[in-house]
Amino acid sequence: MSVTFAKGFSASGVNTDISSNKEKLDLALVVNNGPLDAAAGVFTSNRFSAAPVQWSRKAIANGHIKAVVLNSGGANACTGEAGLKQSADTAAKVAEVLSGENVVAPDDIAVCSTGLIGELLPLDHVLAGVDKAASTLCDTEQAGIDASTAIMTTDTKPKTVKLQGTGYRVGGMVKGSGMIAPQLATMLCVITTDAMVDAAQLQGVLATATEKSFNRIDVDGCMSTNDTVLLLASGASGVTPEPQEFAGMIHDACASLAHQIIGDGEGSSHDIKITVNGAETEDAALACARAVAGSNLLKCAIYGNDPNWGRIVSTLGTVPADVAAYEPEAVTVDINGVRVCEHAGAGIDRSQVKMEAREVDIDIDLNHGSQSASVWTDDLTHEYVHINADYES
Amino acid sequence: MSVTFAKGFSASGVNTDISSNKEKLDLALVVNNGPLDAAAGVFTSNRFSAAPVQWSRKAIANGHIKAVVLNSGGANACTGEAGLKQSADTAAKVAEVLSGENVVAPDDIAVCSTGLIGELLPLDHVLAGVDKAASTLCDTEQAGIDASTAIMTTDTKPKTVKLQGTGYRVGGMVKGSGMIAPQLATMLCVITTDAMVDAAQLQGVLATATEKSFNRIDVDGCMSTNDTVLLLASGASGVTPEPQEFAGMIHDACASLAHQIIGDGEGSSHDIKITVNGAETEDAALACARAVAGSNLLKCAIYGNDPNWGRIVSTLGTVPADVAAYEPEAVTVDINGVRVCEHAGAGIDRSQVKMEAREVDIDIDLNHGSQSASVWTDDLTHEYVHINADYES
């Protein structure tokens, strides 16, 4: 159901020939019909943030967003002043077509783009697409699916979520497959709710949820210039949610979408969950898990169904002692439940590890405390190289 | 000529069935026949350092090493107390076979191993190999080549260097192809000289040389447990070198060997030299160059002969401002001499960049100072994935 599951939202996805694929839906519109227009956002920390990121960060600063326009087929990143004007013109066009009895201002509109870095968009196609998208807005399930399809690039399937709260709903969509690294958010994500929540509460809930979800996945260690996560509240349910339940729902929505990104990571054949237990602090556990998740050699081994624990501990050994305290001799490693490494040496023979399933669980115990953290990644495959050597993105 | 080019050294390389390849030379011996036995070493900073690294670090502490025994076919890393005993037993065996009029002690012997992590060596094969290697020691060119061949794993060719100083010589060999990251040294390297130099001077010269050579290459971002660089002086030339010339020669030897590693990086089709100019400090330049060198997406693009500057600036944008100061708008990027990015946007059309040559030069100017640094890396190819998904190392 995607973004239209929550009441008060309509959406559409249209083809407007932005991308080289003339068949593919490539422009999505998500409109918040109210009564509220509360919004929160989390953006990439990349210093070369794209024009739409710069635009949307300003637009959302006052806590109000009435609509989001998203395109695939071009990132509008590293495009200078001309790129900034394209994002502004796109927002102005959406504001214009949505204005009726009530005037909608350009800074009520968030803009998201994804695709090749370094080239301007074909703006006439984008503006024509906005007209087309506005004329097909709908609150049906299909409209939500169309929107989530229009933002796909190397994604092989739309990624959506719907969750039922106590008297209110949460829906969402995300795109992301490559250029995924855990330094704020992921590619493009819009989450909607019909709960009655103000912008300040949304921002707090979203920041916490992204930290524990999108910031804990890593397809290829490469951070995007366009990462954007938006959370919009329409208040259409009339229900003010119990804060803890609401925070849990937003977390669950983000976690589901993050997991779907890993499940559709470029060329991947295994989802790899790396959990570090027994750390002095959560930060120490996270640093270790992220280091292991970044090992190309490990990711290749998992692709080859090889439970190569040597590539796990050799990567763990690169984490400085002042970042994560542990004694190498005390560390244990389990792969899919088999203790393949203990006392800094071989444990149960690794031939005992079953590697057929898509999910591979790597559990590291530092035996140096009680804190833990998990990071998800994908294996590194021929198909990943193929996609990224031949696809211009 | 490898390690036998300098006078006062003999070497050998033999097959002793350590590895699964029954034909391959897999054990090398390098003996310093004096009159000096001065030595210096630089080792991996990995916290899971291998047994031979732990052994050799202690052995070299007094500045004296008479011989180095090196094996491929097994890293003897993460092998606990039993692994440490294997390194000690190997050193004792070498000391025994080399003892004649003058007694050689086990701690006069350095030990190096490379191969699969997490398994003990077949010690009887290693000890028998030491006998065989000792009986074939020779100071010929072929003996040096045999030694450099015996330490190869996924390397496709032996890597050696010879340099003539003013009245003295420097020779060397290295192995390394994958699991190469710039956090101290590389895989296994032995450099020999017949100059009259003491251990303290050797250590200073070697530390500086490795910092600017082996620490500036990165095949796959994965640090080994076994990295060892040894520098041995026999004094057989009778010449005390001019210090600056000698430092320059050791640097040149390390730089040549480091470059050969990149030229033989696992599965690589391009050597990529990333130079960052215009930085406030050399450390800032180095941090930026290393970040770009670590981008899987860039490395895939180069494999596809795609001068994708968007993947360069998006990686540059992940370096925190307190690590490297710059204004994104001021950054320029040249690929093979073509200015493809300026003013945070597209410059000359990237179709103008010629990508046929093996070497690809990426020159980034931060325009924020006068310091610079270069890092070498390889592209990321199908063959890299194939080697590391199917090869157990």
Side-chain angles (χ1 to χ4, degrees):
Chain A
M1 287 290 289
S2 181
V3 288
T4 50
F5 182 61
K7 281 181 270 183
F9 291 91
S10 50
S12 58
V14 298
N15 169 271
T16 180
D17 287 350
I18 299 172
S19 68
S20 52
N21 182 338
K22 300 298 176 198
E23 300 293 312
K24 189 187 167 303
L25 302 183
D26 54 15
L27 188 133
L29 191 57
V30 179
V31 176
N32 183 349
N33 300 304
L36 298 184
D37 61 1
V42 172
F43 301 92
T44 182
S45 57
N46 199 304
R47 291 163 76 184
F48 284 86
S49 61
V53 168
Q54 294 178 49
W55 172 269
S56 297
R57 200 180 261 141
K58 276 189 198 165
I60 211 165
N62 66 3
H64 298 284
I65 288 294
K66 288 208 188 302
V68 187
V69 57
L70 314 92
N71 74 273
S72 54
N76 193 10
C78 300
T79 43
E81 288 297 323
L84 283 171
K85 185 165 185 312
Q86 288 199 327
S87 290
D89 288 352
T90 305
K93 174 71 179 178
V94 174
E96 179 197 323
V97 300
L98 294 183
S99 287
E101 281 176 37
N102 299 311
V103 173
V104 177
D107 70 0
D108 292 330
I109 310 301
V111 181
C112 301
S113 301
T114 178
L116 184 64
I117 295 173
E119 295 189 4
L120 288 165
L121 298 170
L123 190 64
D124 50 340
H125 291 229
V126 173
L127 300 184
V130 169
D131 275 324
K132 197 168 164 186
S135 69
T136 53
L137 279 169
C138 200
D139 63 0
T140 58
E141 175 165 1
Q142 188 58 46
I145 299 295
D146 287 349
S148 57
T149 303
I151 58 176
M152 290 165 53
T153 54
T154 54
D155 309 65
T156 65
K157 50 195 163 194
K159 302 171 183 69
T160 64
V161 67
K162 56 176 181 177
L163 294 168
Q164 179 70 53
T166 308
Y168 63 96
R169 290 172 162 188
V170 172
M173 66 179 186
V174 73
K175 71 81 48 183
S177 184
M179 205 176 253
I180 302 292
Q183 287 172 275
L184 256 197
T186 174
M187 287 294 281
L188 306 184
C189 177
V190 180
I191 298 172
T192 54
T193 180
D194 49 25
M196 302 276 291
V197 186
D198 66 18
Q201 186 181 348
L202 290 178
Q203 188 66 42
V205 162
L206 184 64
T208 303
T210 52
E211 176 54 36
K212 302 271 187 180
S213 56
F214 295 121
N215 275 1
R216 306 232 166 153
I217 60 174
D218 182 349
V219 171
D220 52 13
C222 295
M223 194 208 300
S224 163
T225 49
N226 291 55
D227 294 337
T228 301
V229 182
L230 301 174
L231 173 55
L232 313 178
S234 70
S237 70
V239 173
T240 301
E242 192 280 313
Q244 217 163 349
E245 183 194 81
F246 183 68
M249 299 234 336
I250 299 303
H251 170 271
D252 291 350
C254 289
S256 167
L257 293 171
H259 199 148
Q260 290 178 57
I261 288 176
I262 289 296
D264 193 26
E266 284 178 344
S268 62
S269 68
H270 282 295
D271 300 349
I272 310 170
K273 184 182 186 184
I274 299 156
T275 301
V276 175
N277 293 308
E280 230 169 37
T281 64
E282 187 182 352
D283 282 351
L286 194 53
C288 291
R290 283 186 174 163
V292 173
S295 167
N296 279 354
L297 285 174
L298 173 64
K299 288 150 71 90
C300 284
I302 300 297
Y303 172 46
N305 287 329
D306 173 13
N308 192 321
W309 60 268
R311 295 179 180 176
I312 297 170
V313 297
S314 62
T315 307
L316 200 61
T318 66
V319 179
D322 60 350
V323 172
Y326 67 80
E327 297 303 323
E329 295 70 25
V331 171
T332 62
V333 178
D334 290 35
I335 303 181
N336 285 343
V338 178
R339 175 131 323 163
V340 286
C341 172
E342 56 185 341
H343 308 310
I348 296 170
D349 193 273
R350 61 185 182 167
S351 64
Q352 301 301 307
V353 182
K354 296 195 193 316
M355 296 288 290
E356 292 74 23
R358 179 164 175 106
E359 184 174 327
V360 174
D361 289 313
I362 295 176
D363 292 287
I364 298 165
D365 197 330
L366 301 180
N367 282 302
H368 204 88
S370 60
Q371 299 302 303
S372 61
S374 294
V375 167
W376 287 89
T377 189
D378 287 304
D379 53 352
L380 175 55
T381 71
H382 285 295
E383 188 61 16
Y384 177 86
V385 174
H386 173 66
I387 291 168
N388 287 297
D390 302 334
Y391 172 78
E392 290 193 341
S393 77
Chain B
M1 286 290 290
S2 181
V3 288
T4 51
F5 181 62
K7 281 180 272 183
F9 290 92
S10 50
S12 57
V14 299
N15 170 269
T16 180
D17 287 352
I18 298 171
S19 67
S20 51
N21 181 338
K22 299 300 177 199
E23 301 293 313
K24 188 188 168 303
L25 302 183
D26 54 14
L27 187 132
L29 192 58
V30 179
V31 177
N32 182 349
N33 300 305
L36 299 184
D37 62 358
V42 172
F43 301 92
T44 182
S45 58
N46 199 303
R47 293 162 75 184
F48 284 87
S49 61
V53 167
Q54 294 178 49
W55 171 269
S56 297
R57 200 179 261 141
K58 276 189 197 164
I60 210 165
N62 65 3
H64 299 283
I65 288 293
K66 287 206 188 302
V68 187
V69 57
L70 313 93
N71 75 273
S72 54
N76 193 11
C78 300
T79 44
E81 288 297 324
L84 283 172
K85 187 166 184 313
Q86 288 199 327
S87 291
D89 288 351
T90 305
K93 174 71 178 178
V94 174
E96 179 198 322
V97 299
L98 294 184
S99 287
E101 283 176 34
N102 300 312
V103 174
V104 177
D107 70 0
D108 293 329
I109 312 300
V111 181
C112 301
S113 300
T114 177
L116 184 64
I117 295 173
E119 295 189 3
L120 288 165
L121 298 170
L123 190 64
D124 49 341
H125 290 230
V126 173
L127 300 183
V130 169
D131 276 323
K132 197 170 166 185
S135 69
T136 53
L137 279 169
C138 201
D139 61 2
T140 58
E141 174 165 2
Q142 187 58 48
I145 299 295
D146 287 350
S148 57
T149 304
I151 58 176
M152 289 165 52
T153 54
T154 55
D155 309 65
T156 65
K157 50 193 163 197
K159 302 171 183 70
T160 65
V161 68
K162 57 176 180 178
L163 294 169
Q164 179 70 54
T166 308
Y168 62 96
R169 292 172 160 187
V170 172
M173 65 179 186
V174 74
K175 71 81 49 182
S177 185
M179 206 178 252
I180 302 292
Q183 287 173 273
L184 255 196
T186 173
M187 288 295 281
L188 306 184
C189 177
V190 180
I191 297 172
T192 55
T193 180
D194 48 25
M196 303 275 291
V197 187
D198 67 18
Q201 186 182 346
L202 290 178
Q203 187 67 44
V205 163
L206 184 64
T208 303
T210 52
E211 176 54 35
K212 301 271 185 179
S213 57
F214 295 121
N215 275 2
R216 306 230 166 154
I217 60 174
D218 181 348
V219 172
D220 52 13
C222 294
M223 195 208 301
S224 162
T225 49
N226 289 55
D227 295 336
T228 301
V229 182
L230 300 175
L231 173 56
L232 312 179
S234 70
S237 70
V239 173
T240 301
E242 194 281 312
Q244 217 163 348
E245 183 194 81
F246 183 69
M249 300 233 337
I250 299 303
H251 170 270
D252 291 350
C254 289
S256 168
L257 293 170
H259 200 149
Q260 290 178 58
I261 288 175
I262 289 296
D264 194 28
E266 283 179 347
S268 62
S269 67
H270 282 294
D271 299 350
I272 310 170
K273 183 181 186 185
I274 298 154
T275 301
V276 175
N277 293 308
E280 229 168 36
T281 65
E282 187 181 350
D283 282 351
L286 194 53
C288 291
R290 283 185 174 163
V292 173
S295 167
N296 279 354
L297 285 175
L298 173 65
K299 288 150 71 89
C300 284
I302 300 296
Y303 172 45
N305 287 330
D306 173 13
N308 192 320
W309 61 267
R311 293 179 182 176
I312 297 169
V313 295
S314 63
T315 307
L316 199 61
T318 66
V319 179
D322 59 350
V323 172
Y326 67 80
E327 297 303 323
E329 294 70 23
V331 171
T332 62
V333 178
D334 290 35
I335 303 180
N336 285 344
V338 178
R339 174 128 327 159
V340 287
C341 172
E342 56 185 341
H343 309 309
I348 296 171
D349 194 274
R350 61 185 182 168
S351 65
Q352 301 301 308
V353 182
K354 297 196 192 319
M355 296 289 289
E356 292 74 24
R358 178 162 176 107
E359 183 174 327
V360 174
D361 289 313
I362 296 175
D363 292 286
I364 298 164
D365 197 331
L366 301 180
N367 282 303
H368 204 88
S370 60
Q371 299 300 303
S372 61
S374 294
V375 167
W376 286 89
T377 188
D378 287 304
D379 53 351
L380 176 54
T381 70
H382 286 296
E383 188 61 16
Y384 177 87
V385 174
H386 172 67
I387 291 169
N388 287 298
D390 301 334
Y391 172 80
E392 290 193 339
S393 76

